[in-house]
Amino acid sequence: DLVRSRGLGDVYKRQPFVTAYTSAGVQRFATRVDAKPCGTCFAGSVQVDDTDGAIWMTALRFSGGQNLPSRLFRLDTNGTITATQDLPVGIAKGGMRYGGGRLAFVANQLAAGFTQTATGNDLGVIMLDRNGAEVWRRQYPSPVPGLRGIVGGLDFDASGNLYVATGARDQSTTWIRKIDPSGTTVATFMILATPPGWLAVHGSHFVHSAKVLGRYATLDGAPAWTYPFVSSTTEALAVDSQGSFYLGSSPSLIQLNIAPYLGGSADMSVWKVSAAGTLE
């Protein structure tokens, strides 16, 4: 089944909602969630529990130019909200991932609940169990001392290690931080020539996609291949059981490697790239 979330327009005062569809495209339910009070509220991430089909979604909340604590909702398979809790940070869009019975959240707008105050410590990670209880929280330094850190995608491997795409303001480099199940950083991999984007793990490899290129690498960081992408805003990344990955993007500049597939301008494009790095 497919689950998606988004924010409604001002007529609904920016109430986020979540919609679920069957694999045939038939809508199962559509539910609005209450994220107020906030000046602006919209949907962030959505994830599905692979044991009972429960759905988690985050609502991002802003007021007066400041991040408010993100709100986490748990819904059952009928769309009924069964639990709600506020998180201590403004989670980055796309900054939630479920895997192995745990929910991971990343943010670079740290608020209440993080006690470390060292300069440049801009990446916050909160780990919850599948019932919403906190397992641990950590704060990690910016990969470039003195520059504000930024975060992109995240995912788990089969051993429970968490991979987070991080970067620093005005730097065209991505650092993939590998964090073990206890919260300890065990490795950092560098990807040159692109800022942090979305990330997904499949088997013994991970894929990272951003505005400039996609990088397919082993879980030890050794690059397998790099694919040049159109200059775009990445909206989503997913990997299927065969290792092919799907990238949803909003093109801002049509380049030769994508123009033949679009037939002109487009608001959204979906790319399917094989595990061998070829466009399908």
Side-chain angles (χ1 to χ4, degrees), residues 252-268:
S252 56
L253 175 64
I254 303 302
Q255 293 180 341
L256 292 178
N257 60 341
I258 189 173
Y261 300 93
L262 294 180
S265 61
D267 294 326
M268 174 65 73

Side-chain angles (χ1 to χ4, degrees), residues 8-127:
L8 296 175
D10 290 339
V11 67
Y12 294 109
K13 301 185 183 299
R14 289 291 189 183
Q15 287 181 270
F17 72 89
V18 58
T19 307
Y21 301 87
T22 69
S23 58
V26 178
Q27 181 175 297
R28 292 172 46 216
F29 65 79
T31 302
R32 293 188 197 132
V33 300
D34 184 3
K36 299 186 294 293
C38 59
T40 301
C41 305
F42 61 90
S45 303
V46 61
Q47 293 283 287
V48 178
D49 190 325
D50 57 8
T51 59
D52 62 5
I55 298 165
W56 290 277
M57 71 164 293
T58 52
L60 310 187
R61 304 161 67 230
F62 304 90
S63 182
Q66 299 296 315
N67 287 272
L68 299 178
S70 296
R71 188 160 294 168
L72 174 66
F73 299 88
R74 181 182 173 93
L75 301 88
D76 64 20
T77 54
N78 297 313
T80 301
I81 297 173
T82 59
T84 303
Q85 67 186 90
D86 285 353
L87 301 169
V89 294
I91 301 300
K93 183 179 181 181
M96 173 176 69
R97 184 69 71 161
Y98 170 79
R102 298 185 302 159
L103 281 167
F105 303 85
V106 298
N108 62 327
Q109 296 289 331
L110 303 187
F114 284 85
T115 57
Q116 298 180 40
T117 57
T119 301
N121 280 20
D122 291 308
L123 169 61
V125 179
I126 304 172
M127 191 70 67

